[in-house]
Structures are given as C-alpha cells and as structure tokens.
Amino acid sequence: MPDIFRLAKRLLMMVVLLAVTTPCMADKQLHTLEQIASKKTITLGYQDDAFPFSWQNGNTPAGYSIDICNSIVSALKTKLQLKNLKIEWVKANSASQFVLIKNHMADIMCIPAFYSQSRHSMSEFSLPFYFSSTRFVMRKTESSDNLAKLSGHSVLVKSGTIYVEQLQKVNAANDLDINIQLDTNNITAFNELKNGEYSALISSTVLLKGMIAQTPNPEEYALSDIALSAPLPAGLLLPLHDKEFKEFVDGTLSSLMTSNDFTALYNKWFQSPIPPKSINLNIPMSDNLKALTAAKKKISFDYEKYN
C-alpha cells in the first residue's frame, strides 16, 4: 500500500507540475508581433542568388521582395509605435528557408516562395506578389523545345524547390529518362550549364530570365517556349499558426498592392534598368497579378482554390 500511495503522490505532483509549467512555456512562446516589439528587432531571411527578387548588392540585400519586406518593416514601426526597428538579415537558400521559419529563426523570408500543399505544412504563405511558370534554359546551340530530347541527359534543378517534384512528374508522365541533378545555388548552377556540364537548367521563368540577363553573352542561351507548369503564385514565408502576424502582413501587402506605389515598385524591378549593370528584364505584369492589384477593397487569396 505505501508503494501505491507513493506512486499516486508522484503522479499527482507530475500533473500539478505540468499544469504550472505549461502556461509558463506558453508565455515564453510569444507571438511574432510581441517578439518583435519586445526585442525591437525583426529577423528577415534573404537569398543572394534570386535576382531580381533577392540578391546581394555589395553588402546589402536588394531586390523586389526585399523592397516589399522593407515596406512591411515600415508598417510594423507604425503599428508597434517604435521609433527604431532593427533589421537582422539571415542568409538562406531554397531548402534552409523552411527550417529557419519553422524553428522561428526568422520572422519573414523575403524570398519568392512558390506555393505547394506540402510546403504549406511547414510554413504560412503571405498574399502572392508574383506569378511565374516553370521552364528550362539550354545553350542555344543545343536548345530544343522537345522534352524527349532531354531523355538520357542530366539537367540541373535547385534543391528545395518545387521544380524537382514538377520534373519528376513530367519524367513519369512522358516515360522519359531525364537524370535530375540537384544544386544549391542558382549562380553556380548556371555556370555549370554554361560550361557544358549539364544540358538544361530548370527554374521559374522569371529567375531564368534574370540569370540569362546577368551573363556577358545572353544571346548564347535559349529559354524554352513550353512551360512545365501553369503560372504559380509566390508569396513570403511566415511562421505557421500565427494568425495575427499573417493578417498584419497580408493587410500591409494588400494596401501596398492596391496603391500606385506598387506599380512603381514593379516597374522598378521588371521594366526599368536595374543597377549596377542596367539590366532591364522587360517583363510586363502578369494578368494574375493585375487582377489582384485591380481590387478596390482588401485583397484576399486562397492558394488551395487557385491550385
């Protein structure tokens, strides 16, 4: 009997301990807005190889999605009544960005993340601010829009992207034998294509156009006419299960995207010379993005229904 009583006592103590500590743990796990207000610091993720969205301009991240994040930071300072809000930049790639967000090592990923259901299980997505299909680029001397001609050849895809799954589906559906090789950096991958190590590089249309435009001899490369996907929405990655923060970010994006400032921002990165090389991508705003920006009220977007 004494042993039974001692066991019961221990169990009771464990229940009480859990009841006491659980609220404390919850208190420590502050919401993102509360964390930012407390630290007076926001941690933003960026990539150095996703021109013109997120790239390294000297020592400073620059790009379309970087400018969008800077607008969110300005709105945060107003909301949280902070005179100063420090930005800590953390470098990421297509694979590590989900780890950083999931482990709360970044508050926002200022990188164009193309949506998929599996990705949504790891991170929340903001309103989309770009739409792009998936294509491939080849050296012009070997270029072909016939996917069958890639059978038996090795093509490069950036790891951690949705393009891997898309190419696997194309491979299976068309009974092809395309050898998929992974790389972690767009700049390195394009150099490997340039050097003839691989037959093609798969990525989003906009990123491929950006890579081609940055080469000394862009006329030596051909972008495929055929697309491996429909235009896909890209948003910013946000922490999961933080409804308040997502609503704030989406509200800020909605206000920006329905203003004249957004048209100017888009033209700055896609229809004007980009310093320091004065690269003009000449990419008009897509119909999908126009439809969102034309909204006369707060923008809403359902990724599940779009897919």
Side-chain angles (χ1 to χ4, degrees):
M1 287 294 290
D3 289 340
I4 295 175
F5 283 127
R6 277 196 292 270
L7 179 59
K9 186 177 180 180
R10 285 176 187 169
L11 289 172
L12 180 61
M13 288 178 66
M14 288 176 65
V15 171
V16 171
L17 184 61
L18 283 170
V20 171
T21 57
T22 301
C24 293
M25 291 171 66
D27 287 341
K28 290 180 182 178
Q29 294 173 352
L30 299 174
H31 292 298
T32 307
L33 287 174
E34 293 172 335
Q35 289 179 328
I36 294 169
S38 174
K39 297 176 182 177
K40 296 182 180 178
T41 301
I42 184 169
T43 305
L44 302 177
Y46 77 100
Q47 284 180 210
D48 63 356
D49 65 336
F51 179 87
F53 293 92
S54 174
W55 57 292
Q56 194 85 31
N57 186 12
N59 295 322
T60 308
Y64 174 56
S65 53
I66 300 297
D67 279 357
I68 287 174
C69 274
N70 285 330
S71 295
I72 294 169
V73 170
S74 296
L76 265 173
K77 288 168 69 175
T78 301
K79 178 177 178 61
L80 301 176
Q81 298 181 332
L82 294 174
K83 189 174 181 180
N84 295 303
L85 179 57
K86 181 182 176 183
I87 297 176
E88 287 187 353
W89 292 100
V90 56
K91 188 176 175 181
N93 57 42
S94 298
S96 68
Q97 60 181 332
F98 290 95
V99 176
L100 292 169
I101 280 289
K102 190 173 181 180
N103 293 323
H104 304 286
M105 298 170 70
D107 301 310
I108 305 174
M109 277 293 153
C110 303
I111 300 164
F114 290 95
Y115 179 86
S116 73
Q117 286 185 332
S118 60
R119 287 177 149 204
H120 198 192
S121 67
M122 298 180 284
S123 172
E124 188 57 81
F125 283 71
S126 74
L127 283 176
F129 54 89
Y130 202 87
F131 293 79
S132 185
S133 56
T134 302
R135 297 180 189 271
F136 59 91
V137 64
M138 301 179 71
R139 295 177 297 280
K140 190 167 283 187
T141 54
E142 304 170 12
S143 67
S144 172
D145 260 343
N146 187 349
L147 277 173
K149 289 192 176 180
L150 288 176
S151 187
H153 293 268
S154 294
V155 303
L156 267 176
V157 188
K158 193 176 181 185
S159 63
T161 64
I162 60 172
Y163 321 126
V164 179
E165 183 181 347
Q166 289 171 345
L167 189 54
Q168 287 171 337
K169 288 180 179 178
V170 169
N171 237 354
N174 296 279
D175 197 24
L176 301 176
D177 184 28
I178 298 173
N179 182 23
I180 303 172
Q181 296 293 317
L182 303 179
D183 210 316
T184 58
N185 184 277
N186 284 326
I187 298 169
T188 304
F190 198 89
N191 284 334
E192 290 170 335
L193 172 73
K194 179 176 70 175
N195 296 335
E197 296 175 52
Y198 297 94
S199 298
L201 172 61
I202 315 291
S203 189
S204 69
T205 303
V206 60
L207 291 177
L208 289 175
K209 284 186 175 182
M211 290 182 232
I212 294 169
Q214 291 180 90
T215 65
N217 306 105
E219 69 280 358
E220 294 180 1
Y221 303 92
L223 188 65
S224 67
D225 288 329
I226 62 170
L228 305 184
S229 77
L232 300 174
L236 304 171
L237 295 184
L238 308 172
L240 271 178
H241 311 308
D242 193 337
K243 184 179 178 182
E244 183 184 21
F245 189 58
K246 174 173 167 54
E247 286 181 349
F248 169 77
V249 171
D250 282 354
T252 303
L253 279 173
S254 179
S255 296
L256 171 64
M257 292 170 65
T258 53
S259 71
N260 292 332
D261 291 340
F262 185 74
T263 303
L265 178 63
Y266 185 92
N267 290 341
K268 170 186 173 181
W269 291 107
F270 298 101
Q271 295 196 296
S272 303
I274 303 170
K277 297 182 180 179
S278 296
I279 294 171
N280 191 337
L281 295 174
N282 288 311
I283 302 176
M285 189 179 292
S286 67
D287 290 340
N288 288 310
L289 192 54
K290 281 181 181 178
L292 288 182
T293 60
K296 301 300 181 183
K297 56 183 180 179
K298 187 176 180 180
I299 297 174
S300 62
F301 187 84
D302 190 328
Y303 280 97
E304 298 293 337
K305 288 183 179 178
Y306 180 86
N307 282 346

